[in-house]
Amino acid sequence: MRQPIPSQIRRPATNWRVLVVENNTGDREALAAGLRRHGHHVDGVATGNAALQSYQLSDIVLLDLELPDVDGLEVCRSIRALSDVPLIAVTGWGTELDRVLGLQAGADDYLVKPYGFRELMARMDAVMRRSRPQIQAEQVVLRGPLRIDAASREVSLHGRVVELTRKEFDLLHLLASHPETVISRKRIMQQVWGGSWSRRTVDTHVSSLRGKLGGSDWIVTVRGVGFRFGSG
């Protein structure tokens, strides 16, 4: 079992969408509650198959390797083959070989149960810092009623904040920074996901962005090529 979750921990500057993959219902709910208290959005699943269907819209994945349906290492490999989403293995398997196998499977970090919540938060902060892309374009992009602030990573539309995941923000900022340019899926994957290719990943994030921005006109599909920023 994990150690009790303390209430006095520095809150992160950015709220993340966290996918908690944990077979034990009590542990999953307790961890989710602790993360929510610190401002994060949490989705919780109990199986490997559910994780493979849910990770694409997450900013970071906390993956228990002891799952009832699919080997946790295989889940880790499958996610890493299609995405560079930050992933921390959280498991009771604590030998050196276990750690090596977890890291080789694609985990960015490896945390053994029981663990302290402060340590988990610190490791999440470190993994997210390492994965954060260095945005070289405009720091504040204004496109009509849409405002994108790269420094605070905040998006607002008609003065109202739009809650985006980390990858959704990076994708929107990339497109909005080049409003007259059609950007290929390959370039999007290279700049937003670090080169891991998956058409489904890009399309899923585009669809989610369109929904959050209230329409498809903000992101225009150019068939056979990619996407360009629209007029909204």
Side-chain angles (χ1 to χ4, degrees):
M1 294 294 291
R2 289 166 293 96
Q3 297 176 10
I5 296 176
S7 58
Q8 298 301 318
I9 300 178
R10 176 181 59 82
R11 294 179 184 273
T14 302
N15 296 334
W16 306 317
R17 181 172 292 280
V18 184
L19 176 62
V20 175
V21 187
E22 169 60 63
N23 180 39
N24 184 288
T25 301
D27 286 356
R28 184 175 66 252
E29 292 179 350
L31 178 54
L35 291 168
R36 290 188 182 109
R37 282 199 298 272
H38 288 82
H40 299 302
H41 305 282
V42 182
D43 299 308
V45 298
T47 67
N49 282 322
L52 292 173
Q53 295 173 5
S54 307
Y55 76 89
Q56 290 178 315
L57 295 181
S58 301
D59 294 320
I60 185 169
V61 177
L62 304 181
L63 175 65
D64 180 8
L65 298 182
E66 302 172 80
L67 299 173
D69 57 340
V70 183
D71 184 284
L73 293 175
E74 285 302 318
V75 174
C76 188
R77 292 188 190 99
S78 296
I79 291 175
R80 188 54 72 232
L82 297 174
S83 171
D84 70 341
V85 61
L87 187 152
I88 300 177
V90 182
T91 178
W93 300 346
T95 69
E96 180 183 10
L97 178 59
D98 290 329
R99 296 172 191 266
V100 169
L101 291 175
L103 294 171
Q104 288 180 339
D108 296 289
D109 202 350
Y110 194 102
L111 188 60
V112 178
K113 302 176 184 178
Y115 58 84
F117 192 69
R118 288 186 178 89
E119 181 182 3
L120 173 63
M121 293 294 290
R123 288 177 181 269
M124 290 173 65
D125 279 338
V127 167
M128 294 300 285
R129 281 198 306 272
R130 292 196 298 268
S131 67
R132 187 175 300 132
Q134 299 299 314
I135 297 176
Q136 302 297 331
E138 305 169 63
Q139 287 299 298
V140 177
V141 179
L142 297 174
R143 300 287 182 258
L146 184 67
R147 184 179 190 274
I148 306 169
D149 189 326
S152 65
R153 298 183 67 82
E154 183 175 273
V155 174
S156 60
L157 181 62
H158 296 291
R160 295 186 177 183
V161 174
V162 180
E163 295 288 345
L164 301 182
T165 68
R166 184 172 62 93
K167 293 301 187 184
E168 287 171 351
F169 178 91
D170 295 339
L171 173 56
L172 180 62
H173 188 274
L174 173 62
L175 293 171
S177 296
H178 305 84
E180 305 300 325
T181 303
V182 177
I183 300 181
S184 69
R185 282 186 170 85
K186 182 176 181 179
R187 179 180 171 187
I188 290 172
M189 289 303 300
Q190 288 174 337
Q191 294 194 219
V192 177
W193 279 272
S196 301
W197 176 257
S198 170
R199 181 188 181 96
R200 181 183 175 190
T201 297
V202 177
D203 291 349
T204 298
H205 281 74
V206 167
S207 177
S208 178
L209 272 174
R210 285 170 170 163
K212 291 181 178 182
L213 295 175
S216 60
D217 291 342
W218 285 109
I219 302 177
V220 178
T221 300
V222 180
R223 292 187 180 278
V225 183
F227 302 92
R228 66 173 175 82
F229 190 76
S231 61

